Amino acid sequence: MRSLTKSNAFIDGHWVPVDQRFEVTNPATGEVLAEVADADAALAERAVEAAHRALPGWRDRTPQERSELLLKWFDSMQANKQALAELMCAEQGKPVAEAAAEIEYGASFVRWFAGEAERSYGDVLPRQSDDKRVWISKQPVGVCSAITPWNFPNAMITRKVAPALAAGCTIVVKPPHLTPLSALAIAQLASEVGIPDGVLNIVPSYEAKHVGKVLTEHPLIRKFSFTGSTAVGKKLMEQCASNVKKVSFELGGNAPFIVFDDADLDLAVEQLLICKFRNAGQTCISANRILVQEKVLDSFVNKLKSAMEQLKVDRGTADEVDYGPLIDQDAIDKVQRLVNDAKDNGAECLLGGNVLDELGELFYAPTLLTEVTSTMDIASEEIFGPVVAIQSFSDEEEGIRKANDTPFGLAGYFCAQDYRRIDRVSNALECGMLGINAGAISHAYNAFGGVKQSGIGREGSRYGLAEYQETKTLTLGGFA
Ligand SMILES: O=CCCC(=O)O
């Protein structure tokens, strides 16, 4: 199997070496995987200028030509799936099988937007007056930039890059310093399949600050997209305001997972496990607050505890592993702080609550907490770890009120069977995405994004292409 490990910046179709470098390590073993180029502001500016030079040539290709190149990129990701998955497992920690599923997921955005590129219609308005005709057309925004997170090192890039390229934009991406290798690997594949120089540029950097300033403030950039925390998103949004860029922000969540008394409890347990333990809980749409109606609390907790006892934690390269290490020591510290705070304030810990020292310092046990209350830190902060924190509620009105009691509104989930309840609760929950009896809701064809402080804009689906387009109105006169 070929190695796809690249360690320089990728600008204008060339691998650009930089003296200053940072180490990328394997969270399962601590092994140094690569020393990666640490781009500074000047290099980021060079990348923006390359993207600007490449724009006219790329924008002027037909949508079909762009689509064909995207499909070749998709095919290449599929052909290299195993190598990409092993690289991702090494730098990010998720099990190889889950990493391979992420490569499929990431590649599915490339295929999806290759299709959307060809179906990007404008409008011809019905005649409004005798002397004029009016069209509304879709045009690429121009040069784009993106800052992406470490938890999905492939898919969070393709979800931004594929619609940008499909629309006719060029782009500069700053991948996370913890997982830049997956980004560099797919840039190599993009170049091999013939995506022209300068259309996709990757500038890894250890510190986000200086490169981030260029990517949010440079006057040649017309659109910025970010996935990450709400706190950082707010700062980047302010920077983008300096020259009024178009923006998309996919920010923090605090997803409720509500189990009503008419739910199929076996299905609820199954879907919660899928949702909660994906990527060891390090997912922005992970169920964070598990709200269970009092009548079914004991029965649900017993079933869940039995299921969680079966979870296998190990290195991502081991067989049939459910989850691997957390990303770094900060992640472990945060999870431990939230668990300790909950226990100190009256929560009961039925399982776990500790690091699995025998595996290594970044492996955290599957943890089940009950008697959690809304005033505990674990109820208001994103856990980003393998911890199920259960609160109870008495009736539907209280369940909905508790679920909405957060400034965030990314994903939400609930389990119920009564179709009238399903209709009522679906309308009442304040979030951008809802899973009803379903814990897996991410697909290229779905509109991904949040309300309230969870973000602006949508990724994936046909709405995801519109984020990289401007709507231009053309009025042609002289008919009278
Ligand atoms: O963590 C953020 C994105 C996860 C997903 O696309 O399902």
Side-chain angles (χ1 to χ4, degrees):
M1 196 170 41
R2 69 184 289 206
S3 164
L4 282 169
T5 306
K6 295 275 164 195
S7 60
N8 286 324
F10 184 68
I11 298 175
D12 210 5
H14 301 288
W15 293 101
V16 181
V18 177
D19 287 344
Q20 178 87 8
R21 315 201 62 92
F22 63 92
E23 289 181 348
V24 177
T25 55
N26 181 329
T29 62
E31 175 202 355
V32 175
L33 300 169
E35 297 203 339
V36 171
D38 192 1
D40 58 9
L43 204 65
E45 277 176 25
R46 201 167 130 187
V48 173
E49 282 152 20
H52 185 246
R53 279 195 304 278
L55 181 66
W58 184 245
R59 187 179 50 199
D60 292 346
R61 290 193 183 213
T62 63
Q64 194 185 9
E65 284 171 329
R66 292 199 294 267
S67 172
E68 277 164 9
L69 279 172
L70 285 170
L71 287 175
K72 285 186 183 162
W73 195 27
F74 165 78
D75 287 341
S76 175
M77 280 189 211
Q78 293 285 354
N80 290 285
K81 182 164 78 178
Q82 191 60 21
L84 290 169
E86 286 180 18
L87 188 64
M88 187 189 298
C89 169
E91 68 173 345
Q92 201 274 341
K94 67 181 68 175
V96 176
E98 192 178 339
E102 186 186 329
I103 303 303
E104 292 272 355
Y105 177 46
S108 75
F109 287 104
V110 180
R111 188 179 56 182
W112 175 265
F113 285 109
E116 289 297 299
E118 293 197 71
R119 283 180 285 281
S120 172
Y121 302 111
D123 299 301
V124 178
L125 264 57
R127 201 142 62 93
Q128 303 292 334
S129 67
D130 287 339
D131 64 333
K132 293 190 187 96
R133 304 289 179 268
V134 181
W135 295 264
I136 295 178
S137 78
K138 298 288 178 187
Q139 309 221 317
V141 171
V143 177
C144 301
S145 59
I147 298 184
T148 60
W150 53 263
N151 57 348
F152 288 83
N154 175 297
M156 295 306 98
I157 292 181
T158 55
R159 190 153 82 183
K160 298 176 193 305
V161 170
L165 269 51
C169 302
T170 58
I171 190 161
V172 180
V173 179
K174 192 207 98 55
H177 74 273
L178 292 163
T179 61
L181 301 179
S182 296
L184 297 169
I186 57 173
Q188 167 69 20
L189 300 183
S191 157
E192 283 171 12
V193 300
I195 292 188
D197 295 352
V199 169
L200 168 64
N201 307 275
I202 311 275
V203 283
S205 117
Y206 187 79
E207 279 273 343
K209 211 162 100 195
H210 304 297
V211 169
K213 203 166 156 55
V214 174
L215 299 192
T216 49
E217 293 185 359
H218 199 295
L220 289 178
I221 295 176
R222 292 304 323 137
K223 150 97 195 184
F224 173 71
S225 175
F226 173 71
T227 297
S229 73
T230 297
V232 174
K234 284 179 183 174
K235 286 201 187 104
L236 295 172
M237 211 180 281
E238 267 178 42
Q239 289 172 205
C240 287
S242 64
N243 45 31
V244 194
K245 291 191 199 317
K246 197 172 164 85
V247 293
S248 318
F249 284 92
E250 198 260 275
L251 306 175
N254 184 2
F257 189 110
I258 316 174
V259 181
F260 286 104
D261 58 7
D262 60 322
D264 172 338
L265 295 188
D266 292 315
L267 179 65
V269 167
E270 177 195 276
Q271 295 304 309
L272 175 59
L273 291 185
I274 290 172
C275 179
K276 181 77 233 185
F277 291 95
R278 177 177 178 224
N279 200 17
Q282 302 170 110
T283 305
C284 52
I285 55 167
S286 190
N288 211 54
R289 292 169 298 144
I290 318 307
L291 306 168
V292 185
Q293 196 157 2
E294 278 158 8
K295 210 163 127 196
V296 293
L297 182 64
D298 289 346
S299 170
F300 178 75
V301 168
N302 288 338
K303 284 173 188 281
L304 178 63
K305 182 166 177 279
S306 305
M308 283 178 62
E309 280 163 350
Q310 307 307 313
L311 291 171
K312 183 176 167 200
V313 188
D314 205 337
R315 290 185 186 180
T317 46
D319 287 337
E320 307 206 335
V321 58
D322 289 299
Y323 69 86
L326 300 196
I327 189 71
D328 62 9
Q329 191 57 46
D330 287 349
I332 290 283
D333 293 346
K334 178 180 185 192
V335 169
Q336 195 60 65
R337 172 177 64 76
L338 293 175
V339 169
N340 290 347
D341 174 78
K343 280 165 54 184
D344 291 348
N345 286 291
E348 205 183 330
C349 186
L350 301 188
L351 275 181
N354 56 287
V355 171
L356 295 167
D357 292 317
E358 64 281 15
L359 291 172
E361 52 202 22
L362 300 185
F363 292 84
Y364 202 83
T367 296
L368 177 57
L369 299 172
T370 55
E371 320 261 341
V372 171
T373 63
S374 55
T375 55
M376 296 174 186
D377 291 347
I378 205 158
S380 55
E381 292 185 40
E382 250 185 322
I383 305 169
F384 248 58
V387 179
V388 178
I390 298 192
Q391 304 181 43
S392 62
F393 63 92
S394 56
D395 57 17
E396 189 179 298
E397 189 266 322
E398 190 192 10
I400 292 169
R401 186 170 43 72
K402 281 190 161 179
N404 286 339
D405 184 19
T406 167
F408 302 102
L410 192 56
Y413 307 85
F414 69 93
C415 297
Q417 299 196 79
D418 179 330
Y419 71 89
R420 284 156 299 207
R421 168 173 272 172
I422 290 177
D423 181 54
R424 281 193 304 272
V425 178
S426 303
N427 287 318
L429 290 182
E430 297 166 353
C431 52
M433 296 166 281
L434 252 185
I436 304 157
N437 299 320
I441 58 171
S442 302
H443 303 283
Y445 48 80
N446 281 355
F448 195 104
V451 300
K452 294 156 87 176
Q453 294 193 27
S454 287
I456 294 176
R458 291 294 178 268
E459 296 189 313
S461 76
R462 69 188 168 91
Y463 302 102
L465 186 70
E467 302 280 338
Y468 293 87
Q469 292 177 316
E470 294 290 7
T471 300
K472 185 182 268 182
T473 301
L474 298 95
T475 303
L476 181 64
F479 286 88

